[in-house]
Amino acid sequence: MSFQAHQSLQELYVSCHGELEAALFSRVRCRETAADICQEAFVRLCRSEDLSSVGNLKAYLFRTAQNLLIDYYRSQTVRSAAIVEWPDDTPPEVEDLRCAETVALGEQDLDRLIEGMASLSPLSQRIFYLNRFEGLKQREIAETLNISLRTVEENIKKALVHCAKTRDESK
């Protein structure tokens, strides 16, 4: 990276860091998560080979952060699917302080879920993915895969039960 590019990124960091982190916080409502996503956006920008073709670095940075935020929400969707029943007996102010810990524990749960999902049939995995990650309704999945609605329902149920068992076994 040239000195000029390095200097441009440094100026971008100074001028946009607070604004970007505040924008992310307004979406995720967790300071640690917002800071992590903000940092990762800057890291990705710094690792980019050639930024000369980028006309507006600030817009590019914010778009990178938006993509990371989408990835974050997708991972949250997986965690929600993995945790069928989660007790909510922790006061909100304590939960805010434990946000980073919660994310780390969620990532462990996600890893176990992914390992557990590998034992399901490819059809069950595909149906579960389309439903939980792509957001398709059961009828849409049936039409897309050219299978019966009942098959879709049974496979989603099988995947959810399997997720619950995987979670219970890890406790």
Side-chain angles (χ1 to χ4, degrees):
M1 182 181 297
S2 71
F3 176 75
Q4 185 179 19
H6 186 300
Q7 189 174 8
S8 295
L9 289 175
Q10 193 171 18
E11 290 171 5
L12 182 67
Y13 181 84
V14 169
S15 67
C16 295
H17 179 265
E19 179 185 355
L20 179 58
E21 198 169 306
L24 290 166
F25 175 74
S26 72
R27 301 285 303 276
V28 296
R29 307 309 282 168
C30 175
R31 294 205 187 285
E32 291 84 5
T33 302
D36 288 347
I37 294 172
C38 182
Q39 179 181 357
E40 182 62 25
F42 276 103
V43 167
R44 290 198 181 179
L45 200 64
C46 289
R47 287 184 181 159
S48 295
E49 295 281 325
D50 182 22
L51 294 173
S52 62
S53 63
V54 177
N56 185 339
L57 278 179
K58 181 178 178 181
Y60 187 79
L61 171 69
F62 274 73
R63 185 68 221 167
T64 301
Q66 178 68 25
N67 290 339
L68 290 167
L69 187 62
I70 290 168
D71 291 344
Y72 169 79
Y73 283 133
R74 284 182 181 148
S75 71
Q76 293 301 309
T77 301
V78 170
R79 289 186 188 107
S80 296
I83 302 169
V84 177
E85 200 175 291
W86 191 267
D88 190 20
D89 55 359
T90 307
E93 60 275 0
V94 173
E95 201 162 291
D96 288 343
L97 296 174
R98 295 179 54 199
C99 185
E101 179 185 3
T102 303
V103 169
L105 291 172
E107 287 174 350
Q108 288 175 351
D109 287 343
L110 176 60
D111 290 341
R112 283 191 293 272
L113 171 67
I114 290 170
E115 288 173 17
M117 291 299 289
S119 66
L120 290 174
S121 71
L123 180 63
S124 291
Q125 290 177 28
R126 180 76 175 140
I127 290 171
F128 187 76
Y129 175 82
L130 290 172
N131 182 253
R132 298 297 170 161
F133 296 100
E134 298 295 325
L136 294 179
K137 296 186 183 327
Q138 293 177 4
R139 183 168 309 284
E140 294 170 324
I141 295 169
E143 291 170 2
T144 300
L145 300 178
N146 199 24
I147 57 177
S148 72
L149 181 59
R150 181 146 173 82
T151 301
V152 173
E153 292 167 349
E154 288 175 1
N155 279 277
I156 289 174
K157 180 180 176 183
K158 184 188 313 180
L160 289 173
V161 167
H162 187 72
C163 290
K165 284 181 184 176
T166 302
R167 182 200 68 204
D168 291 343
E169 289 171 0
S170 66
K171 287 184 177 181

